[in-house]
Amino acid sequence: MSFKRFFSYFSNRIGRNKPKRTTNSISYSKADELLQSLISNAKVPGIAIKVTQHNKTIFDKGYGFSNLEKETQINAATSVFRIASVSKPIAATALAIMVQDGVIDLEESFYTYVPYYPKKKYDFTIKQLATHTAGIRGYRGKEYGLNIPYTIKDSIVIFKDDDLLFKPGTNYHYNSYDWVLLSLAMQEASGVPFEEYVQKKVLDPLQMKHTFAEVKGSFIKGITQFYSQKKLGFRKALEVNNYYKLAGGGFLSTTTDIVKLGNAYLKGDFLQEAIQQQFLTAQEVKGESTYYGLGWQVSTDKKGNTYYGHIGNGVGGYSNFFVYPKQQLVLSILTNCTNPNIQDVLDEVVLEFVEKAKEFTL
């Protein structure tokens, strides 16, 4: 898998649910077979996909199981997954609204909003955090799978005393702690808890009714069981608490909801044009592209098609979310398995839709 794409038993009932079709009569049999193969070859327990073009559904299907033990099948419309780092575009949308409303300034020092964070050798800005050029470190050891009920503010104890990796603006280092700090700054700037702000400003207006913060003990209808691979088959994923890193990787959602976010960007009236463009512009460091904007991966696929979106990889969940503006195409693919090593197959699936989109206009 290229850097541009990211750094990166089963009963006869599998695949019974057929993809929902619209007036688009194009066959996506190759994509369907590739996704089915991920179940047949025990790469993932379950997977859901939704694809729209011009905000109309052209493919919508679930494969495999939401819960292996109960043999509950994936429902493409209602199965709720951990979306991991696809949370970042949701958080970035909330940040963009704050910028638009004058609540927070991208070029302002982080310390303006969070003065109690330990001072480092260098200052760094809100924008540098959002573009992963601030020098904040990533996960160490078992931090990837913490099961501690931290609040956002309390969680900075994990990394707050560590030095910056580099002088801000001179390098790029992808990590989720940047978005822990951003969500903290957003809370302090607005006076509203991050989760509530996102709900009011992003999820409610976009009718993303099945996107939630994962809160221990809460009941969420349709939520999948989370798994990790073992030598043969799958085991339940280890228990984690992702609430503190909600902005960077803690949301739960459906393929339907994620596609709504992408179509809001294609429509272009949810954010001011200049601000949306700023967030969707890949940054450069030392004259080279990072293939990353502000909370959004921005790049081209192997056929040269421009897209923005994100890939997510977390405990019990792996996700793809891509928006192809020229083709007016939005794709969301969610699975209930930790790091299944299937990106090459998903790239083929995505490309199948992109290339056929060029041949068909709704």
Side-chain angles (χ1 to χ4, degrees), residues 26-97:
I26 290 181
S27 169
Y28 299 104
S29 58
K30 179 183 176 181
D32 190 35
E33 290 168 5
L34 286 167
L35 291 166
Q36 182 63 59
S37 75
L38 296 177
I39 303 299
S40 304
N41 296 326
K43 297 296 185 181
V44 292
I47 190 165
I49 179 173
K50 186 178 180 75
V51 186
T52 65
Q53 187 179 19
H54 298 286
N55 204 16
K56 296 182 183 296
T57 300
I58 61 170
F59 198 84
D60 187 14
K61 188 174 180 181
Y63 304 78
F65 293 103
S66 168
N67 187 302
L68 290 169
E69 293 73 29
K70 296 180 180 180
E71 297 188 355
T72 306
Q73 289 186 285
I74 291 290
N75 183 306
T78 62
S79 290
V80 176
F81 299 80
R82 282 179 176 158
I83 64 171
S85 287
V86 170
S87 300
K88 291 181 176 74
I90 296 173
T93 304
L95 177 61
I97 292 169

Side-chain angles (χ1 to χ4, degrees), residues 269-287:
D269 61 357
F270 191 65
L271 299 172
Q272 292 175 6
E273 183 179 357
I275 290 176
Q276 176 166 315
Q277 188 57 43
Q278 183 178 21
F279 274 68
L280 297 178
T281 298
Q283 303 298 294
E284 289 190 355
V285 172
K286 299 176 182 176

Side-chain angles (χ1 to χ4, degrees), residues 2 8 17 33 43 64 139 149 161 163 169 213 233 237 249 261 264 308 312 327:
S2 69
S8 330
N17 40 343
E33 290 168 5
K43 297 296 185 181
Y139 297 126
D161 295 322
D163 293 335
L261 179 64
Y308 53 88
Q327 291 81 16

Side-chain angles (χ1 to χ4, degrees), residues 105-241:
D105 187 337
L106 290 173
E107 304 300 337
E108 190 61 66
S109 166
F110 169 73
Y111 291 98
T112 299
Y113 307 103
V114 189
Y116 50 83
Y117 191 74
K119 293 294 190 291
K120 305 301 175 186
K121 183 177 180 179
Y122 303 103
D123 194 6
F124 52 90
T125 66
I126 297 297
K127 183 179 179 180
Q128 286 169 335
L129 287 170
T131 57
H132 300 300
T133 59
I136 302 298
R137 73 167 178 86
Y139 297 126
R140 290 178 182 167
K142 297 181 179 180
E143 291 173 1
Y144 177 78
L146 292 179
N147 190 24
I148 302 172
Y150 285 126
T151 64
I152 293 171
K153 185 175 181 179
D154 290 344
S155 73
I156 64 174
V157 70
I158 301 168
F159 57 90
K160 68 182 179 68
D161 295 322
D162 295 309
D163 293 335
L164 298 180
L165 298 179
F166 47 80
K167 182 180 179 181
T170 66
N171 211 333
Y172 171 88
H173 182 71
Y174 177 83
N175 70 94
S176 286
Y177 291 148
D178 280 337
W179 283 91
V180 171
L181 294 180
L182 282 165
S183 59
L184 180 56
M186 291 166 71
Q187 286 189 157
E188 298 288 8
S190 66
V192 179
F194 174 76
E195 178 186 352
E196 292 182 21
Y197 189 90
V198 173
Q199 188 71 48
K200 181 179 179 180
K201 297 292 187 175
V202 181
L203 305 183
D204 288 346
L206 294 181
Q207 296 291 297
M208 295 173 68
K209 297 179 179 181
H210 302 285
T211 301
F212 316 95
E214 186 177 357
V215 180
K216 285 284 187 178
S218 62
F219 172 76
I220 297 175
K221 185 178 180 180
I223 194 168
T224 61
Q225 176 64 54
F226 309 120
Y227 295 96
S228 292
Q229 291 175 324
K230 59 182 182 179
K231 192 170 183 179
L232 292 173
F234 304 93
R235 57 176 173 80
K236 289 183 179 180
L238 59 87
E239 290 289 320
V240 295
N241 192 317

Side-chain angles (χ1 to χ4, degrees), residues 290-352:
T290 63
Y291 304 107
Y292 206 88
L294 282 73
W296 291 87
Q297 180 186 355
V298 183
S299 192
T300 56
D301 62 25
K302 67 180 183 181
K303 292 284 189 177
N305 302 296
T306 300
Y307 69 86
Y308 53 88
H310 224 288
I311 291 175
N313 183 23
V315 175
Y318 190 81
S319 52
N320 277 202
F321 168 42
F322 299 120
V323 181
Y324 282 79
K326 186 175 181 180
Q327 291 81 16
Q328 290 289 294
L329 200 68
V330 183
L331 307 96
S332 174
I333 308 174
L334 304 176
T335 78
N336 55 339
C337 188
T338 310
N339 195 23
N341 295 312
I342 59 171
Q343 191 57 51
D344 288 346
V345 175
L346 297 187
D347 284 347
E348 288 189 58
V349 170
V350 170
L351 197 58
E352 169 85 349

